[in-house]
């Protein structure tokens, strides 16, 4: 079924066990993904590879995300979402075994691409199930919990390397075990998962761009913002005299705000509507960009960075909430696949865009580029809200 504002019936009993299982599945998977990125970079660095080659190798995983997005709806209809998710978890574990066995940069190119190709359906299917099971009155808080825990999983991944190191099989075994655990949790919760109904004329991922361009631009903005900041904040901070330790600590605070404040933002969305809170997030993220040059060397930068991270990623959380409000069934699956495509595209495009602006006007190009993205999104949301009011009138 394709539906704008689909009819909903909120059950008095929320499927708590099923929702907890899905959140646990994606959290474990995020830990493995968060571990693999720095681990493989450390290994390539020890092999003497250039930063450029390490970066190109790392880009293979998001490229796999992008390419797989076009196939997820059709594969889900052909094999079923449950079977596809289980197959992807098993395939990802095998790929990590192969990556650990053949530690060669050229072999890793196709393996890392396939790892992204296998990982993406797990996120898409899990988010689709989460949105489908979340009662409308609680969808904001539940998606906030989901976003917070997934973000925490990505943050925990690199921390595990401090415990097991980056040499030999131990770090890979942690990642492989996480993939296996992910599959085990899936098997336990699959009987409780909702079925995604087929459509007579299912919309493709490319066609979804025409259906919800503003939502996809919001996802693109959130990904571009996050990846550009993570990639270039060290360059920006060092240019203004900040030490590597201080820069790393600020990025950690940025991520901590992302993790901590998604639930309150979700509660705000339930009360005031996700579009209005998305506008708040975009404007607040742009305000953080404007404040960055003035506050970078002061103590105020710490609380500002904490809130800044929350609002920047909150754009994505608000997008998920609106996706659940507007679509259902197979269209919801297609929309989540389109979200994955937009996220991958934004993640790849964000750093080069911000870097080019920095080359043109200097270090202040980083906050300016990020503010331009958020400003463009804010304008789009304002126009959309105005159009709704006009139609209602």
């Amino acid at each position: 079924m394709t539906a704008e504002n689909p009819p909903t019936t909120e059950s008095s009993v929320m499927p708590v066990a099923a929702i907890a299982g899905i959140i646990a599945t994606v959290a474990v998977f995020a830990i493995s993904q968060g571990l693999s990125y720095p681990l493989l970079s450390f290994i390539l660095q020890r092999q003497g590879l250039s930063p450029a080659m390490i970066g190109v190798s790392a880009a293979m995983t998001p490229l796999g995300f992008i390419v797989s997005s076009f196939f997820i709806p059709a594969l889900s209809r052909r094999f079923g979402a449950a079977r596809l998710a289980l197959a992807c978890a098993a395939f990802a574990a095998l790929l990590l075994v192969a990556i650990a066995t053949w530690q060669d940069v050229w072999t890793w190119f196709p393996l890392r691409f396939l790892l992204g190709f296998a990982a993406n359906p797990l996120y898409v299917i899990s988010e689709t199930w989460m949105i489908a099971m979340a009662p409308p009155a609680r969808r904001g808080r539940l998606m906030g919990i989901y976003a917070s825990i997934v973000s925490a999983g990505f943050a925990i991944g690199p921390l595990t390397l401090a415990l097991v190191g980056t040499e030999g099989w131990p770090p890979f075994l942690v990642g492989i075990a996480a993939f296996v655990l992910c599959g085990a949790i899936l098997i336990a919760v699959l009987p409780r998962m909702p079925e995604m109904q087929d459509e007579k004329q299912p919309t493709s991922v490319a066609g979804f761009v025409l259906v919800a361009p503003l939502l996809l631009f919001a996802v693109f903005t959130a990904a571009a913002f996050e990846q550009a900041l993570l990639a270039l904040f060290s360059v920006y901070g060092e240019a203004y005299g900040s030490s590597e330790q201080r820069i790393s600590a600020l990025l950690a605070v940025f991520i901590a705000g992302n993790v901590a404040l998604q639930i309150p933002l979700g509660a705000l969305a339930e009360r005031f509507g996700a579009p209005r809170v998305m506008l708040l997030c975009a404007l607040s993220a742009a305000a953080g960009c404007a404040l960055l040059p003035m506050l970078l060397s002061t103590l105020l930068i710490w609380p500002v960075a904490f809130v800044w991270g929350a609002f920047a990623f909150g754009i994505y959380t608000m997008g998920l909430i609106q996706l659940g409000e507007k679509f259902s069934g197979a269209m919801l699956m297609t929309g989540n696949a389109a979200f994955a495509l937009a996220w991958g595209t934004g993640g790849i495009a964000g750093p080069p865009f911000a870097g080019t602006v920095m080359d043109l006007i200097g270090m202040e190009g980083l906050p300016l580029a990020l503010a331009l993205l958020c400003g463009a999104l804010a304008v789009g949301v304002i126009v959309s809200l105005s159009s709704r009011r006009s139609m209602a009138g």
Side-chain angles (χ1 to χ4, degrees):
M1 178 179 71
T2 303
E4 290 280 344
N5 299 320
T8 56
T9 58
E10 180 175 354
S11 172
S12 59
V13 179
M14 186 171 62
V16 176
I19 289 175
I22 287 301
I23 292 177
T25 300
V26 182
V28 170
F29 197 76
I31 291 172
S32 183
Q33 288 281 286
L35 175 147
S36 66
Y37 277 101
L39 172 61
L40 302 187
S41 294
F42 282 131
I43 292 172
L44 293 177
Q45 189 173 8
R46 285 198 297 267
Q47 292 178 358
L49 274 297
S50 68
M53 181 63 78
I54 293 173
V56 173
S57 176
M60 292 299 101
T61 300
L63 182 60
F65 270 63
I66 292 173
V67 174
S68 69
S69 299
F70 293 100
F71 298 94
I72 292 172
L75 289 173
S76 179
R77 289 192 295 269
R78 175 66 178 84
F79 300 105
R83 291 190 186 92
L84 180 59
L86 273 176
C88 286
F91 188 39
L94 292 174
L95 286 168
L96 202 54
V97 171
I99 288 172
T101 303
W102 294 288
Q103 296 190 15
D104 171 74
V105 65
W106 298 109
T107 305
W108 280 5
F109 272 92
L111 290 177
R112 295 185 81 169
F113 172 83
L114 290 173
L115 187 62
F117 196 99
N120 193 30
L122 273 169
Y123 290 116
V124 170
I125 292 169
S126 297
E127 286 186 354
T128 302
W129 280 335
M130 272 292 299
I131 295 171
M133 290 187 295
R138 303 181 190 178
R139 184 176 287 127
R141 281 166 291 176
L142 282 172
M143 297 316 298
I145 292 170
Y146 172 85
S148 292
I149 293 178
V150 171
S151 298
F154 274 108
I156 291 170
L159 294 179
T160 61
L161 296 179
L163 299 176
V164 300
T166 61
E167 297 185 2
W169 274 90
F172 286 102
L173 290 176
V174 172
I176 293 165
F179 283 129
V180 173
L181 179 58
C182 173
I185 298 172
L186 273 174
I187 291 173
V189 301
L190 282 180
R192 303 172 182 266
M193 293 301 105
E195 289 294 329
M196 295 295 106
Q197 299 297 322
D198 286 338
E199 300 168 353
K200 294 181 179 179
Q201 293 182 330
T203 299
S204 66
V205 170
F208 194 85
V209 176
L210 301 176
V211 176
L214 183 60
L215 287 184
L216 295 180
F217 181 67
V219 175
F220 175 93
T221 298
F225 192 107
E226 179 181 273
Q227 294 303 309
L229 192 69
L230 292 176
L232 297 170
F233 190 64
S234 59
V235 179
Y236 180 87
E238 287 181 4
Y240 286 90
S242 293
S243 66
E244 290 184 2
Q245 293 80 4
R246 190 169 188 269
I247 294 168
S248 297
L250 280 170
L251 286 174
V253 170
F254 180 89
I255 295 171
N258 171 4
V259 173
L261 298 181
Q262 295 310 305
I263 299 172
L265 287 175
L268 282 177
E270 291 174 6
R271 181 168 183 178
F272 299 104
R276 290 184 177 86
V277 181
M278 180 182 283
L279 177 60
L280 171 66
C281 289
L283 293 175
S284 298
C289 296
L291 292 171
L292 180 62
M294 295 181 284
L295 301 181
L296 182 61
S297 60
T298 72
L299 291 176
L300 285 175
I301 190 60
W302 299 99
V304 168
F306 185 81
V307 177
W308 196 31
F311 283 121
F313 191 76
I315 293 171
Y316 179 74
T317 304
M318 294 308 112
L320 282 178
I321 294 170
Q322 290 182 73
L323 185 67
E325 292 172 348
K326 294 183 177 182
F327 304 102
S328 64
M331 191 66 163
L332 182 59
M333 179 75 75
T334 301
N336 266 300
F339 268 36
L341 173 64
W343 182 271
T345 305
I348 289 178
F353 168 66
T356 300
V357 179
M358 292 170 76
D359 286 342
L360 292 174
I361 68 171
M363 290 299 111
E364 292 311 321
L366 176 61
L368 176 61
L370 300 180
L372 287 173
L373 283 170
C374 294
L377 175 61
V379 170
V381 175
I382 290 171
V383 171
S384 176
L385 289 171
S386 299
S387 298
R388 290 185 186 183
R389 283 194 292 268
S390 297
M391 292 175 64

